[in-house]
Amino acid sequence: MRPRHIAVTVALVAALSGFAPTPHPRGAGAAGAGRADRLVDSLLARMTPAEKLGQLNLISVDSDRASPAQLDSVRKGLVGGFLNLYGADATRAAQLVAVNESRLRIPLLFGFDVIHGYRTIFPIPLAEASSFDSAAVEATARGAAREASAAGVNWTFAPMVDIARDPRWGRIAEGSGEDPYLGSLLAAARVRGFQGNDLGAPDAVMATAKHFAAYGAAEGGRDYNTVDVSERTLREIYLPPFHAAVSAGVFSVMSAFDDLDGVPATANHWLLTDVLRKEWGFGGFVVSDWTSIEELEKHGIAGTRAQAGRLALEAGVDMDMVSDIYVHDLPALVERHAIPMSEVDAAVRRVLRAKVALGLFTDPYRGASAGRERATILSPEMRALARHIADESVVLLRNDSGVLPLARSAHTIAVIGPLAADGEDALGPWHTLGRGEDVVTPLAGIRERAGAGTEVLYARGCGIADADTSGFAEALAAARRADVSVLVLGEAQDMSGEAASRSSLDLPGAQERLLEEVTAAGKPVVLVVMSGRPLAIAWAAEHVPAVVQAWFLGVEAGHALADVLFGDVAPSGKLPVTIPRTVGQVPIYYDHMNTGRPGSPTDHYTSKYLDLPLGPLYPFGYGLSYTQFAYGTPRLARSVIGPRDTLAVDVDVTNTGARAGTEVAQLYVHDSVATVTRPVRQLVAFARVLIPAGGTQRVRFRVPATHLGFYDRRMRLVVEPGIYRLFAGGSSAGGAETTFEVRGGR
Ligand code: GLC
């Protein structure tokens, strides 16, 4: 990658992602930074080379306590932190050794994958993204931090901010979907939620923006696979959420497993130092992902472990997770000056500054205690938080002939499917300490809500992934007895997440057949899809009158589903990812280029598939309510603006239905003619608005012209003059349209 014009890039990249780069991660104001630096300098001056490399060593604990050997390494000053050690007592025991029995008494970091909850498991991040509700997303991160910090965890390896355009990739479940604007807003929201306003507060945890970078662009959607994207795609699609996290003050970044344009991210100096530190001003530290340093040998760019360690440290990786290379293989290189001590000092300084910001030198235990754990975990407030965002995360994809909300006349409801009564799967991947018994299952939620006068039947029908159809008869009998059937189908929680790519997007096992046979029984059917990725549910979209995308909704899954299915809550979720008709369409995403021959059903020689209709099954941003909304033509304060102006747009949204509803009003732009090809649509703003039946809400959008910026042919970030089309609507397709002009400047 070539160096960039830093002045231009920083100024405009900051504006593009809507945040100014911060020299220090938040929580280290001028005076604080002075004191912190003095403390860090004094420690550095006393540390031996072995103790310095020890601070860069992050060890995984594979039981409920650190082992005697691990604690002995702590005593020798050879451990900077543990991961997977949690619980107030267990972390306190390890911390006591560090601050009482090591020579320099430097406290430990305790890192853990608190991705969407610690014990109160919230909807998976992809589900939360469907809410398009930054405040709600920030609140669940705050809640997760409260639980985790009560248990002694002071560092979470979240938010995962990887943009994903390929649903075969299992980790699409952990992020915020395909759009860089939505992904940037939610990345910043989660960093604020985890770190709070003061990282030194006892209920704050240090956040980690991961996996840097472009991990979601793995070829074939196959986890850990090669990533080969242009610098323009990297900077416009995959980097913005990381920049937003840095601008929000994230204290750590995790380097990715993938090789990016031939250079593994974990050894990529351009990425980890030139972009992250020099262009963006990131002041925190970089941690490797699991054995990604050791894996540089497998990538074939290091011949020995020591060489792998040297490449990573020199590229900008400060902390070595699990490889044990920094602490065991680098001392010899430092000894013979093959690695300058200044490089080691720079890394140690960044790790120590994070420990100062966390307040660990003031209170290494941060008030964690078994009592605080008990009072915080799974509290009613936490469950309320989980239910609220789960309510907003459900996406209604189809509702023909008013099957939903479930009519009060439905005296018998059949709940069918392998995910209907399963707690563990509702938690989704990366559910940390979540337990199946904590979950209100879909069946339990429907039973609780249906009330005494309604009989709720249950039949599992089939397994999740096996071909056994022996349960069909019981399911069909229930469906025939019922007034309406609710089929809860989809994936097991371990069919998405890490190392869980799928070559198919179909409902696994015999579930599609079960759906077809129950539908053929002739009674109304509601399909609830629980999955960690969009599934190609083309048959259901055509034959099942009501279809709901529920993702994995966490501990309050059943309550939230019942809230929506019975109409106590009008669905407001919108798709953060495109749903393809079939896996053959992948990659498919809304902000694609027009090409020279955009697909046409009538013109043969255009970009399409012979065996598929044009376009996805459901587009990004799509989601129905129990009412309908109409959009007036967007009105502009000024239809001509300069490149540093802000576009002011008013859109009247009318609820034309018979009941109140919340709409996520979205604003998209298309740069009609530019010096490089531009996406047919780009999301630039959205707003959740609650509108009463028959009411009209004026939605005011403010779009800085810098949000129209892109990298030109010379890779300069520019806002080009010209005519732009503007669309306002309830999804990335259709909408009310107008145009505006950017005049002057670049
Ligand atoms: C895993 C994941 C990463 C996680 C880390 C620690 O391999 O890639 O997201 O934070 O290891 O568990």
Side-chain angles (χ1 to χ4, degrees):
M1 300 275 184
R2 289 163 291 134
R4 303 267 49 89
H5 302 290
I6 290 175
V8 174
T9 307
V10 167
L12 283 173
V13 164
L16 177 62
S17 54
F19 307 93
T22 44
H24 274 289
R26 197 169 44 196
R35 273 196 308 276
D37 287 343
R38 282 193 298 278
L39 170 58
V40 166
D41 290 343
S42 73
L43 279 170
L44 262 177
R46 290 182 283 149
M47 292 170 86
T48 64
E51 288 168 332
K52 290 178 180 178
L53 289 166
Q55 265 315 295
L56 309 182
N57 186 29
L58 184 62
I59 299 179
S60 178
V61 172
D62 301 325
S63 69
D64 59 359
R65 296 266 164 174
S67 70
Q70 288 172 334
L71 292 176
D72 202 39
S73 297
V74 171
R75 286 185 189 91
K76 293 172 184 168
L78 300 180
V79 183
F82 285 122
L83 70 144
N84 299 325
L85 182 63
Y86 48 84
D89 294 344
T91 52
R92 176 174 289 269
Q95 199 69 290
L96 272 169
V97 171
V99 299
N100 292 329
E101 300 176 37
S102 72
R103 192 176 72 87
L104 293 172
R105 305 171 183 278
I106 298 172
L108 297 165
L109 292 172
F110 295 116
F112 200 27
D113 288 291
V114 183
I115 311 298
H116 53 108
Y118 173 77
R119 173 71 188 278
T120 302
I121 302 304
F122 301 108
I124 58 171
L126 189 62
E128 290 195 342
S130 306
S131 72
F132 280 68
D133 187 342
S134 299
V137 166
E138 180 173 342
T140 58
R142 190 93 285 279
R146 287 212 175 94
E147 280 196 349
S149 56
V153 172
N154 52 39
W155 181 20
T156 179
F157 304 128
M160 186 275 213
V161 302
D162 298 303
I163 294 294
R165 293 172 145 179
D166 188 331
R168 292 172 294 181
W169 189 52
R171 304 199 78 165
I172 193 171
E174 303 171 41
S176 296
E178 69 189 46
D179 179 66
Y181 178 76
L182 177 63
S184 297
L185 288 181
L186 298 186
R190 290 193 169 105
V191 168
R192 291 193 302 269
F194 286 127
Q195 297 190 165
N197 292 322
D198 172 13
L199 191 59
D203 65 353
V205 295
M206 177 167 57
T208 311
K210 72 182 185 183
H211 306 80
F212 196 55
Y215 181 29
E219 274 187 5
R222 201 169 76 242
D223 206 2
Y224 316 120
N225 201 10
T226 298
V227 170
D228 203 343
V229 293
S230 69
E231 185 178 347
R232 178 172 293 109
T233 299
L234 179 69
R235 286 183 175 276
E236 292 181 358
I237 302 297
Y238 295 99
L239 292 188
F242 287 96
H243 188 266
V246 167
S247 302
V250 74
F251 249 86
S252 69
V253 166
M254 183 183 289
S255 67
F257 288 121
D258 55 84
D259 60 316
L260 172 63
D261 187 19
V263 181
T266 299
N268 197 313
H269 187 277
W270 176 81
L271 195 63
L272 300 175
T273 297
D274 294 346
V275 173
L276 183 61
R277 295 193 188 285
K278 293 179 181 171
E279 277 187 39
W280 296 356
F282 174 61
F285 72 90
V286 175
V287 61
S288 61
D289 185 355
W290 206 249
T291 53
S292 58
I293 294 177
E294 185 179 288
E295 292 167 25
L296 295 178
E297 285 191 88
K298 288 206 178 71
H299 277 291
I301 65 157
T304 65
R305 287 171 53 85
Q307 192 184 3
R310 176 178 177 180
L311 285 171
L313 185 69
E314 289 177 349
V317 177
D318 302 306
M319 213 166 191
D320 168 8
M321 180 189 290
V322 169
S323 289
D324 275 348
I325 288 177
Y326 280 18
V327 72
H328 292 142
D329 300 84
L330 293 194
L333 273 71
V334 172
E335 182 72 27
R336 63 172 192 267
H337 304 295
I339 294 178
M341 184 58 79
S342 60
E343 277 187 16
V344 176
D345 288 352
V348 176
R349 184 182 304 280
R350 290 191 277 258
V351 173
L352 290 176
R353 196 188 296 157
K355 293 185 175 184
V356 172
L358 276 164
L360 293 177
F361 288 94
T362 309
D363 174 8
Y365 313 99
R366 306 175 86 236
S369 71
R372 184 177 146 202
E373 262 188 279
R374 281 192 300 273
T376 310
I377 282 173
L378 275 176
S379 68
E381 295 76 23
M382 288 293 179
R383 279 196 175 272
L385 208 50
R387 184 169 185 170
H388 171 72
I389 196 161
D391 282 344
E392 295 187 349
S393 302
V394 174
V395 185
L396 178 60
L397 298 176
R398 192 177 189 220
N399 188 26
D400 283 7
S401 56
V403 173
L404 290 176
L406 295 176
R408 301 205 184 294
S409 58
H411 298 303
T412 305
I413 300 172
V415 179
I416 298 168
L419 290 157
D422 183 319
E424 178 91 10
D425 285 309
L427 296 170
W430 287 109
H431 54 262
T432 316
L433 296 190
R435 298 176 193 166
E437 66 258 28
D438 299 338
V439 174
V440 177
T441 65
L443 177 61
I446 291 170
R447 280 207 160 117
E448 182 182 315
R449 175 61 183 74
T454 303
E455 184 183 11
V456 178
L457 310 173
Y458 166 64
R460 192 162 195 266
C462 64
I464 292 176
D466 61 64
D468 179 7
T469 60
S470 59
F472 277 27
E474 182 194 20
L476 288 167
R480 291 190 184 103
R481 273 188 59 201
D483 301 308
V484 60
S485 293
V486 177
L487 273 87
V488 188
L489 307 177
E491 297 179 319
Q493 54 88 14
D494 61 2
M495 290 178 172
S496 56
E498 185 173 357
S501 298
R502 286 184 64 204
S503 66
S504 160
L505 298 177
D506 296 338
L507 284 166
Q511 297 184 69
E512 184 84 25
R513 276 191 54 196
L514 176 66
L515 176 64
E516 290 172 10
E517 296 204 14
V518 169
T519 304
K523 295 285 190 64
V525 173
V526 177
L527 169 64
V528 175
V529 180
M530 286 175 58
S531 61
R533 56 166 58 83
L535 296 182
I537 48 171
W539 187 89
E542 191 176 338
H543 298 94
V544 179
V547 182
V548 168
Q549 176 64 41
W551 312 111
F552 293 115
L553 294 172
V555 291
E556 286 293 307
H559 282 152
L561 271 176
D563 289 342
V564 171
L565 296 181
F566 286 90
D568 301 333
V569 168
S572 60
K574 298 286 187 178
L575 291 175
V577 284
T578 300
I579 296 186
R581 297 175 186 279
T582 169
V583 71
Q585 278 188 311
V586 172
I588 182 169
Y589 43 89
Y590 88 94
D591 52 348
H592 61 82
M593 302 306 177
N594 202 33
T595 77
R597 297 196 174 190
S600 156
T602 52
D603 185 342
H604 181 70
Y605 296 96
T606 58
S607 183
K608 61 181 179 299
Y609 296 98
L610 290 177
D611 51 356
L612 277 180
L614 292 178
L617 190 61
Y618 296 105
F620 173 87
Y622 173 86
L624 300 176
S625 176
Y626 288 148
T627 185
Q628 293 74 42
F629 299 98
Y631 284 73
T633 301
R635 290 193 307 282
L636 308 174
R638 286 187 296 142
S639 60
V640 180
I641 61 171
R644 292 196 179 281
D645 288 342
T646 291
L647 185 71
V649 188
D650 283 354
V651 182
D652 287 345
V653 184
T654 300
N655 177 341
T656 58
R659 64 167 286 171
T662 296
E663 169 72 329
V664 177
Q666 302 154 52
L667 205 62
Y668 295 86
V669 297
H670 171 57
D671 185 346
S672 308
V673 178
T675 51
V676 296
T677 56
R678 301 300 303 140
V680 294
R681 296 252 176 143
Q682 273 178 286
L683 180 68
V684 291
F686 60 82
R688 284 178 60 91
V689 282
L690 171 61
I691 307 177
T696 293
Q697 172 82 38
R698 176 158 299 167
V699 185
R700 319 208 85 169
F701 294 108
R702 294 292 177 271
V703 181
T706 45
H707 282 204
L708 310 175
F710 61 87
Y711 288 83
D712 68 6
R713 293 186 184 196
R714 292 168 55 195
M715 286 309 289
R716 296 169 308 174
L717 186 63
V718 296
V719 176
E720 286 190 348
I723 304 299
Y724 291 73
R725 298 172 68 190
L726 183 82
F727 307 87
S731 97
S732 60
E737 179 177 352
T738 189
T739 60
F740 66 92
E741 181 182 353
V742 173
R743 197 174 286 169
R746 270 198 182 280

